[in-house]
Amino acid sequence: MSFASSSPVASKLRKARSQATFIQDARHNSNSKDSTGHFFDRERPTSCHALRKHATPATAATLYDAERPDSVGTPAESFCRVLRQRFGSVTAAWRYALDKDNKGKVSFTDFCNVARDIGYCKNLNNIWKELDEDGSGLISLNELDPKAATTLDEFFDFLHVKFSNTLKAWSYFDVDQNNRVELEEFETQLQKLGYLGNAKYLFKLLKVPAKNFLSLRDLDPQAHTAQMRGDVGMFLQKIRPRYNYDIDEILPMLRSGKLGGLEKPGSPKSPAIQVGNQIMGTGNQFWAQEIAKKQRELQFEHKKAHEQASLSASTLDSFKKLLVARYGTMIAAWRQGLDLDGNGRLSFGELCQALREMGFAGNALATWNALDRDGDGFIQLGDLDPKLEEMLYGYKDLVKEKFGNTLLAWLNGLKSTPNGTISKAAFTAHCKEIGFSGNVNLLFESLKNDKTRHFMTLRDYDLPAMNAYLRGDMEMISESPAIKGGKFEERNSNAFQQRWARMQSKQEIAERKEAAEEEISKDKAAGSVASMKELLLHKYGTVTCAWRHGFDGNENGRVSFVLFCNAMRRIGYSGNIKRCFNELDRKKKGHLTLEDLAPEAHEMITEFQQLLLDTHGDYITAWEALDVNRNNTLEEHELVEACKRIGYKKNAKQLFRYLLEHPSKRTISLGDLNPGAMRAFYRGDMGSMCGKERRAEIENAAQKERQMQLGAHDLSSLKKLLIRKYNTVTAAWRYGLDVTGQGRLSFVDFSKGCREVGFAGNVKRVFKQLDDDDSGLITFNELDPKWFKSLQNFSELLLAKYKTYESAWREIDADKSNFIDCNEFVEVCKELGYAGGPKAAAALFQQLLHPNQKYMTMADLQIGGTLIQAMTGFHMAREDDDLLSRDQVAKKAVQKLEQAKQHEKSMQMGPQDLNSLKKTLVRRFKTITAAWRYGLDVTTQGKISFVDFAKACRENSFTGDIRKCFSELDYDGSGIITFNEIDPKWFKNLQSFTELLLGKYESYENAWKAIDVHKNRFIDCKEFVEVCQQVGYEGGPQAAEALFEQLLQSGQKNLYMTDLQCGGTIVHAVTGFNVTRQDADEVPSGADHKAELDLQKTDIQLLEELIEEGS
């Protein structure tokens, strides 16, 4: 069948045929020329091989099955079978692949493009000739699936007859207004309409294969577009093409060049609406007329309602009813609508303004004359409702008589709640107390400004009282009128300034008295150095914070006696301040430093600052190195990492707490690290804080002679001094006398310990009193036999059960926190059978503790063995190796060394096969999914080629055969690797989760809006587990937590929207289904547009090859 020469379709077909002939000739010449050329040129892959190379694994498997020689059926049936396997049904393939523009027909070029996109490599000319039986150059759904085409045409004709357009029909189907129609709901509504066709079959034709529900876009894309622009009548709808395409009806229009009946949807031209033989106008005109009609109706209704409201208040009685209806009570109307300035009266101008604002349509002058009966030119509340005014002022008179004013009545009589409100029950009790005999319920409801509330505030109770309260006028002097008349002295004393000054003096005296009483009540335990430190910790949180805010206000690092006295008075210290100062100033410097108040904190901070100066030279440079993210603050984990970098050995978390300005804060700044450095930074002096000042201070302090503080004189007072300083006698022995930890003391060591604690007596005499056996050495049993015996009993019981201290600590420290508290120690003593009960065990726990600690470590537990060994000479087994022989110890050391070498060797040696490569990736990226995202598929395409795989292997130090490893993964021989080939198990889990998530929320954007309830742009593991439970993910919480770990980025603890979308990318690369990420179509970026152009060029080349092979 031939077309007219002027037909655009015929010209396109002639052009395509000429191009195919030209390409065929060029290819023939090229093949004949290159037949003797280079080997690689002769072995150039064909178009089918190129398509196989770019096809996904799932598509390649489908194509392979369709291209087998034993495939049954005609080429068209084979092609339809591929479409069903690829899209679920031929109708879905037609709607979402072949006829995306909803034209109702497909040309040969579009048909070839779609076949190429899905990777179909058979002879397309034969398939086209079989499908295009009439030779029209176009095919429709009727030629692929006649039953589906007929069913769809009949259904849409049925909807047009019933509803005139599909948008109205959708409103009928979507009963629950959730923008989706389930199968049951669809069948029910069709049955009500009297539809006689197969509803289930129709539903399957209309819906997307991956979904189990129907949306408006699935039903009719034009209706969805009309809904988005507000075109309820679908006036701009184009002519819907029919799926049952009859070429005999179209050919006459093609020959005559009249294509108006087949114009494409979405063209700028709007279709004309015709009634009979007369054209009434275009769709745009009818849409504009419909919108104008609705606007006129809304304006008419608004005007009518306004007129009705205006006519409702035109007389005095109707005016009062309007006030009560709008404000609830007449008092509320008086306060909120009439007496806005709160002076208790209205002028004529104020009344007219209030009437206009309330929409009063009557005679304002007549209303004024009706209310101003006494003719004084003002209106009071009594003119509106005399009984209500009498009740209100009767109550106020009772209040003023008992409390003096309404503000004191509110504060003292009503006793409002902490949030400043009064309930109805409390107000009723108050009225009963003052003897009010009126209607309490009416008074309470009248005083409330908001009738919907069930409580009353001070503003409701009395507005002048609230104003006085805000300005601190408890006697309401500013709200009471001045007293006129009387003598000169009376007028002078009743002046506002005099009354205000007297009131402020009374308040100041009362506040001072209250503050003094409060200070006295707080002054209970602050009478010694220890109680003073406890008070500082209770008030400031940490001792360093107390030093900053309580003592060293000028930030010079020291506090004189005068400043110390002021600080003690501020915190309410009731003891002897001078004695406390002398106890802290052990070196007699005349001032105190942080070292005197908190030696441990001073040591930790000083060591950290010195390391910073040694490493970076000055504090400002050190701060720039510490503040990596440049937010001028350091969090705890950042300081811990910085301490590791500079080699700080002490507790970094405790250092962070010491450096905090206040315990409530969570970050530290440069000022917390060194205030002088902060000042230097703000004034631009970058070189002034170089550490010289600190080093000079240390050198001067080292040169000063240490003076001994007067202390104990005999053995008894020495023990008391030791216990007062170290809390227990065992701690005094460990940290004050036996500092080397040998378990015994010589006379020299004993003398040093006595001088350190400030012993002023005869050291030699005390040493002889302790050295009972005249051995020249003192052990702990000579200092305190009672506690030595207790420690010996405990150690014997412990070693009898656990053999060594190391094995005992493993059993005791069950939570592996490296410390135990008092309760845990008491339980251990109970299990061992330690005599004395819980009290004796708790006392032993205190003996073993460090003076400034609350928890016991393994070193504290071993002190008993040290003391017993020094006394008896018997070796106590501390570690498990102590029970072994020398040969066994040496053999164990050799084994550990060999294991360390093997581990180091395995860490340095790269992977050699597929299993070791996977282990290396998991060890580096934590999970196999993270390894795929950040180690293999770095371009986020969902698939990797051999080149990308080789790069990833080299980056992970792979030393084996890369090609062999790639072949093991590429089991389908497609030339690319997807995630399902790396790990099928986790791909199945990701696919299941993605289908469940999109089945519930349709898109990732909707899903994220529902999941991220806190709007913080991320979700934690607990929230993700709840999401998995909501969508029905199988496996329970453990499986959900494992999936959460798979989706996480390396080094992150929370899940972001991009992590959630990675599952869709992986599934799309394997299955080929486009996963919806947003509600609306995404706008392509510049990079996406460039990639699309490159893809189009490749498609053109493949099309030329297909045309050549087909010819």
Side-chain angles (χ1 to χ4, degrees):
M1 185 179 293
S2 61
F3 296 97
S5 60
S6 60
S7 174
V9 178
S11 62
K12 290 182 180 179
L13 290 175
R14 287 197 301 272
K15 185 176 180 181
R17 290 167 182 168
S18 63
Q19 288 179 354
T21 305
F22 174 78
I23 294 169
Q24 181 179 8
D25 296 339
R27 183 66 177 273
H28 177 73
N29 297 333
S30 175
N31 291 338
S32 62
K33 181 179 179 180
D34 295 342
S35 60
T36 58
H38 197 273
F39 172 75
F40 294 105
D41 296 333
R42 297 197 306 273
E43 296 298 324
R44 181 177 58 183
T46 64
S47 60
C48 290
H49 294 161
L51 285 174
R52 287 183 180 279
K53 181 178 180 180
H54 293 85
T56 61
T59 306
T62 303
L63 295 175
Y64 175 76
D65 181 63
E67 294 176 4
R68 289 182 303 175
D70 57 348
S71 297
V72 181
T74 63
E77 293 176 354
S78 175
F79 179 71
C80 290
R81 183 164 57 253
V82 172
L83 292 180
R84 292 189 188 95
Q85 294 174 352
R86 179 67 170 80
F87 297 97
S89 65
V90 177
T91 308
W94 174 266
R95 298 186 69 185
Y96 302 107
L98 292 170
D99 188 20
K100 290 183 178 179
D101 299 331
N102 196 24
K103 296 184 296 185
K105 55 186 178 295
V106 174
S107 65
F108 179 71
T109 303
D110 297 335
F111 177 77
C112 293
N113 290 337
V114 174
R116 181 209 52 220
D117 289 340
I118 66 176
Y120 190 80
C121 301
K122 275 194 173 183
N123 193 326
L124 299 179
N125 272 342
N126 295 337
I127 299 176
W128 178 262
K129 290 178 181 179
E130 183 179 350
L131 293 175
D132 188 15
E133 297 177 354
D134 53 5
S136 62
L138 301 171
I139 63 173
S140 65
L141 178 60
N142 185 49
E143 293 167 304
L144 289 173
D145 193 342
K147 179 182 178 182
T150 304
T151 302
L152 290 176
D153 284 338
E154 291 177 354
F155 173 69
F156 283 110
D157 293 340
F158 178 76
L159 292 184
H160 183 74
V161 172
K162 291 290 184 179
F163 301 99
S164 73
N165 61 63
T166 50
L167 186 56
K168 294 180 180 178
W170 174 258
S171 301
Y172 171 77
F173 285 117
D174 190 12
V175 179
D176 51 2
Q177 301 298 320
N178 62 348
N179 295 325
R180 55 192 288 174
V181 175
E182 308 291 343
L183 175 60
E184 183 179 356
E185 186 178 4
F186 186 72
E187 290 179 341
T188 303
Q189 297 301 104
L190 281 179
Q191 187 178 2
K192 292 180 181 178
L193 288 176
Y195 182 73
L196 302 178
N198 190 341
K200 290 185 179 180
Y201 176 69
L202 178 62
F203 185 82
K204 182 179 179 181
L205 293 178
L206 291 173
K207 76 178 187 67
V208 177
K211 297 191 298 185
N212 56 0
F213 59 88
L214 194 66
S215 64
L216 179 57
R217 186 190 294 272
D218 303 332
L219 181 65
D220 188 0
Q222 292 189 26
H224 179 264
T225 304
Q227 186 188 49
M228 292 295 102
R229 65 171 176 261
D231 185 6
V232 181
M234 295 184 68
F235 296 106
L236 302 184
Q237 181 186 13
K238 306 300 176 183
I239 299 175
R240 187 186 66 80
R242 299 183 65 82
Y243 294 103
N244 196 343
Y245 197 88
D246 191 356
I247 191 63
D248 295 332
E249 299 176 2
I250 304 302
L251 285 178
M253 290 186 289
L254 290 174
R255 293 192 180 98
S256 61
K258 299 178 180 180
L259 299 177
L262 294 176
E263 65 175 333
K264 299 179 180 179
S267 61
K269 183 179 178 181
S270 177
I273 297 177
Q274 184 174 354
V275 180
N277 296 325
Q278 183 179 2
I279 297 178
M280 305 301 295
T282 64
N284 285 332
Q285 295 174 352
F286 275 89
W287 188 25
Q289 293 174 6
E290 185 71 17
I291 293 175
K293 182 179 178 182
K294 290 183 179 180
Q295 290 179 350
R296 288 194 300 271
E297 291 177 356
L298 291 174
Q299 291 177 357
F300 177 76
E301 292 176 359
H302 179 72
K303 182 177 179 181
K304 185 176 180 180
H306 180 70
E307 291 177 354
Q308 291 178 356
S310 301
L311 293 174
S312 61
S314 58
T315 62
L316 180 60
D317 293 337
S318 61
F319 173 63
K320 291 182 179 181
K321 293 180 181 179
L322 175 63
L323 291 176
V324 175
R326 175 172 293 186
Y327 298 101
T329 61
M330 192 62 69
I331 293 181
W334 175 261
R335 290 180 175 180
Q336 302 176 34
L338 300 175
D339 186 20
L340 300 179
D341 54 1
N343 61 357
R345 60 184 183 179
L346 284 179
S347 64
F348 179 71
E350 292 174 333
L351 178 64
C352 292
Q353 183 178 359
L355 292 177
R356 282 195 296 270
E357 291 180 355
M358 286 184 289
F360 183 74
N363 192 330
L365 182 60
T367 304
W368 169 266
N369 294 329
L371 291 174
D372 187 20
R373 301 184 185 89
D374 52 3
D376 60 350
F378 294 100
I379 296 175
Q380 288 83 20
L381 177 61
D383 297 329
L384 288 172
D385 195 334
K387 295 183 179 180
L388 190 60
E389 183 187 36
E390 181 181 358
M391 180 182 66
L392 178 62
Y393 283 101
Y395 168 77
K396 288 188 175 181
D397 292 340
L398 290 174
V399 165
K400 292 179 180 179
E401 180 181 352
K402 185 168 184 177
F403 299 101
N405 56 61
T406 53
L407 179 57
L408 294 178
W410 175 267
L411 296 175
N412 302 328
L414 287 169
K415 298 178 182 179
S416 61
T417 59
N419 58 357
T421 60
I422 292 296
S423 62
K424 187 175 182 180
F427 186 76
T428 303
H430 160 73
C431 292
K432 184 177 181 180
E433 182 181 353
I434 63 176
F436 179 71
S437 57
N439 191 337
V440 178
N441 294 331
L442 178 61
L443 179 61
F444 182 80
E445 296 296 333
S446 300
L447 288 176
K448 287 193 306 178
N449 289 335
D450 187 357
K451 59 183 179 182
T452 61
R453 286 192 275 107
H454 300 287
F455 57 86
M456 180 170 54
T457 61
L458 180 57
R459 178 186 289 273
D460 304 334
Y461 184 67
D462 190 29
L463 183 60
M466 189 200 70
N467 295 331
Y469 178 77
L470 293 177
R471 65 174 67 100
D473 184 8
M474 296 296 115
E475 297 182 3
M476 296 185 66
I477 297 174
S478 57
E479 299 295 336
S480 59
I483 300 176
K484 299 181 180 179
K487 298 182 180 179
F488 173 77
E489 292 82 2
E490 295 178 355
R491 294 197 305 271
N492 188 27
S493 61
N494 291 325
F496 174 77
Q497 293 182 351
Q498 296 294 331
R499 290 186 295 162
W500 184 263
R502 289 196 298 268
M503 185 268 295
Q504 284 189 327
S505 300
K506 291 180 182 179
Q507 290 183 358
E508 186 176 357
I509 293 172
E511 289 176 357
R512 288 181 179 179
K513 184 178 180 181
E514 183 179 356
E517 292 177 354
E518 184 178 358
E519 290 294 332
I520 293 173
S521 62
K522 290 181 179 179
D523 187 12
K524 295 181 179 180
S528 61
V529 176
S531 59
M532 181 266 292
K533 290 183 178 181
E534 292 179 359
L535 182 62
L536 291 176
L537 292 176
H538 178 73
K539 184 174 183 179
Y540 296 100
T542 61
V543 67
T544 52
C545 180
W547 174 260
R548 290 182 184 180
H549 301 288
F551 295 96
D552 190 18
N554 52 9
E555 297 181 347
N556 62 354
R558 57 186 181 182
V559 176
S560 63
F561 178 73
V562 177
L563 296 177
F564 182 76
C565 293
N566 295 335
M568 291 294 100
R569 293 190 185 97
R570 284 195 300 270
I571 65 174
Y573 185 75
S574 61
N576 192 325
I577 298 178
K578 186 174 182 179
R579 183 187 303 160
C580 181
F581 183 85
N582 292 332
E583 290 182 12
L584 293 174
D585 186 18
R586 293 185 293 270
K587 300 179 180 180
K588 300 300 180 182
K589 304 183 299 295
H591 62 268
L592 298 179
T593 62
L594 179 61
E595 183 180 7
D596 300 322
L597 187 64
E600 180 185 4
H602 176 266
E603 181 182 359
M604 294 180 68
I605 294 174
T606 304
E607 182 179 348
F608 178 73
Q609 291 175 345
Q610 189 62 39
L611 282 173
L612 290 179
L613 294 176
D614 295 339
T615 306
H616 302 285
D618 59 86
Y619 290 112
I620 298 177
T621 306
W623 179 258
E624 292 177 355
L626 295 176
D627 187 16
V628 179
N629 54 6
R630 297 295 182 266
N631 60 350
N632 295 325
T633 58
L634 284 182
E635 297 182 358
E636 183 177 0
H637 66 90
E638 294 177 322
L639 183 66
V640 172
E641 294 175 359
C643 291
K644 292 180 180 179
R645 290 197 301 268
I646 65 176
Y648 184 73
K649 303 298 183 181
K650 297 187 182 302
N651 191 339
K653 293 185 179 181
Q654 183 64 32
L655 174 65
F656 180 82
R657 289 190 285 272
Y658 282 148
L659 290 176
L660 284 176
E661 182 182 0
H662 194 272
S664 61
K665 289 193 173 183
R666 294 295 179 266
T667 58
I668 61 174
S669 62
L670 178 58
D672 301 330
L673 188 63
N674 189 282
M678 176 64 79
R679 292 193 294 269
F681 177 80
Y682 280 127
R683 65 172 178 265
D685 187 7
M686 298 301 181
S688 63
M689 299 303 297
C690 60
K692 296 180 180 179
E693 205 172 315
R694 179 60 184 161
R695 287 192 290 271
E697 180 182 353
I698 295 175
E699 293 174 0
N700 294 332
Q703 294 174 1
K704 290 182 179 180
E705 295 181 359
R706 300 180 62 186
Q707 298 180 357
M708 303 299 297
Q709 183 181 0
L710 294 177
H713 295 272
D714 54 8
L715 178 59
S716 177
S717 58
L718 174 62
K719 289 184 178 181
K720 293 180 181 179
L721 180 61
L722 290 172
I723 294 174
R724 184 166 61 249
K725 183 175 182 180
Y726 298 101
N727 296 333
T728 62
V729 66
T730 310
W733 172 269
R734 295 175 63 188
Y735 304 103
L737 298 176
D738 185 20
V739 292
T740 60
Q742 296 180 358
R744 53 181 179 271
L745 290 175
S746 64
F747 177 72
V748 177
D749 297 332
F750 181 74
S751 300
K752 289 180 180 180
C754 291
R755 297 307 178 192
E756 288 290 336
V757 298
F759 182 70
N762 192 327
V763 179
K764 191 173 183 179
R765 182 189 306 149
V766 174
F767 184 81
K768 288 184 177 181
Q769 291 179 3
L770 292 173
D771 189 14
D772 297 334
D773 53 1
D774 293 331
S775 60
L777 297 173
I778 297 176
T779 54
F780 183 69
N781 65 314
E782 294 173 318
L783 181 65
D784 196 315
K786 173 186 174 183
W787 278 115
F788 174 78
K789 186 177 180 181
S790 300
L791 291 173
Q792 186 177 13
N793 293 336
F794 174 74
S795 299
E796 291 175 353
L797 291 172
L798 188 70
L799 295 179
K801 183 173 182 179
Y802 297 106
K803 306 302 181 184
T804 63
Y805 285 103
E806 183 180 357
S807 60
W809 183 258
R810 282 198 302 268
E811 295 295 330
I812 294 172
D813 185 20
D815 54 358
K816 306 303 178 184
S817 59
N818 294 327
F819 60 83
I820 58 175
D821 56 13
C822 184
N823 294 330
E824 292 175 319
F825 185 78
V826 171
E827 291 296 328
V828 170
C829 292
K830 183 178 180 181
E831 292 177 1
L832 295 176
Y834 183 75
K839 291 184 177 180
L844 180 60
F845 178 79
Q846 295 297 329
Q847 289 291 325
L848 295 175
L849 278 184
H850 187 279
N852 297 323
Q853 298 292 338
K854 295 182 179 180
Y855 301 98
M856 182 186 295
T857 62
M858 184 175 177
D860 301 329
L861 192 68
Q862 293 176 348
I863 186 60
T866 302
L867 299 179
I868 295 171
Q869 182 178 350
M871 169 61 186
T872 61
F874 179 73
H875 178 70
M876 310 294 289
R878 295 172 180 267
E879 301 178 355
D880 295 341
D881 292 345
D882 294 342
L883 300 177
L884 303 177
S885 63
R886 291 185 179 181
D887 295 339
Q888 291 175 336
V889 172
K891 185 177 179 181
K892 188 175 181 180
V894 171
Q895 291 176 353
K896 288 183 179 180
L897 182 61
E898 288 296 330
Q899 292 176 358
K901 288 181 180 179
Q902 290 293 335
H903 179 71
E904 184 68 22
K905 185 178 180 180
S906 63
M907 294 297 292
Q908 294 177 358
M909 185 181 299
Q912 297 178 345
D913 53 9
L914 180 58
N915 292 331
S916 59
L917 177 61
K918 287 185 178 180
K919 291 179 180 179
T920 302
L921 291 173
V922 172
R923 183 168 61 248
R924 180 180 177 186
F925 297 100
K926 306 303 182 185
T927 62
I928 191 65
T929 309
W932 171 264
R933 294 175 62 188
Y934 304 105
L936 297 175
D937 184 24
V938 294
T939 59
T940 65
Q941 295 181 356
K943 53 190 176 183
I944 58 174
S945 62
F946 176 74
V947 177
D948 298 330
F949 181 75
K951 289 180 181 179
C953 289
R954 297 307 180 196
E955 290 178 358
N956 290 277
S957 304
F958 185 76
T959 59
D961 189 347
I962 297 178
R963 188 173 297 276
K964 179 181 178 182
C965 186
F966 185 83
S967 300
E968 292 180 10
L969 290 173
D970 187 18
Y971 58 84
D972 56 358
S974 61
I976 58 173
I977 297 175
T978 52
F979 183 68
N980 66 318
E981 295 172 314
I982 293 290
D983 196 312
K985 173 187 174 183
W986 276 114
F987 170 76
K988 185 178 180 181
N989 294 337
L990 289 175
Q991 184 180 15
S992 174
F993 174 74
T994 302
E995 292 175 353
L996 291 172
L997 188 70
L998 296 180
K1000 183 176 179 63
Y1001 298 105
E1002 296 188 11
S1003 67
Y1004 283 104
E1005 185 176 353
N1006 293 339
W1008 189 258
K1009 289 180 181 178
I1011 293 170
D1012 187 17
V1013 294
H1014 302 295
K1015 306 302 178 185
N1016 52 3
R1017 298 182 180 180
F1018 62 84
I1019 59 174
D1020 56 14
C1021 183
K1022 184 178 180 181
E1023 294 173 321
F1024 183 79
V1025 171
E1026 294 178 357
V1027 171
C1028 292
Q1029 293 176 353
Q1030 293 174 3
V1031 301
Y1033 184 74
E1034 298 180 355
Q1038 294 182 354
E1041 292 175 359
L1043 180 61
F1044 178 81
E1045 295 294 334
Q1046 289 289 326
L1047 293 175
L1048 277 183
Q1049 299 182 21
S1050 297
Q1052 297 291 341
K1053 296 182 179 179
N1054 298 313
L1055 202 65
Y1056 297 87
M1057 186 176 178
T1058 54
D1059 303 326
L1060 201 66
Q1061 291 175 342
C1062 78
T1065 304
I1066 293 173
V1067 174
H1068 170 65
V1070 178
T1071 62
F1073 279 108
N1074 186 19
V1075 180
T1076 304
R1077 296 180 181 272
Q1078 294 183 356
D1079 294 338
D1081 294 335
E1082 295 182 352
V1083 179
S1085 62
D1088 296 335
H1089 183 62
K1090 183 178 179 183
E1092 183 67 23
L1093 292 177
D1094 295 340
L1095 183 60
Q1096 290 178 4
K1097 292 179 181 179
T1098 307
D1099 295 343
I1100 291 172
Q1101 296 175 0
L1102 294 174
L1103 177 60
E1104 292 174 353
E1105 295 177 0
L1106 288 171
I1107 293 174
E1108 179 185 359
E1109 291 183 1
S1111 301

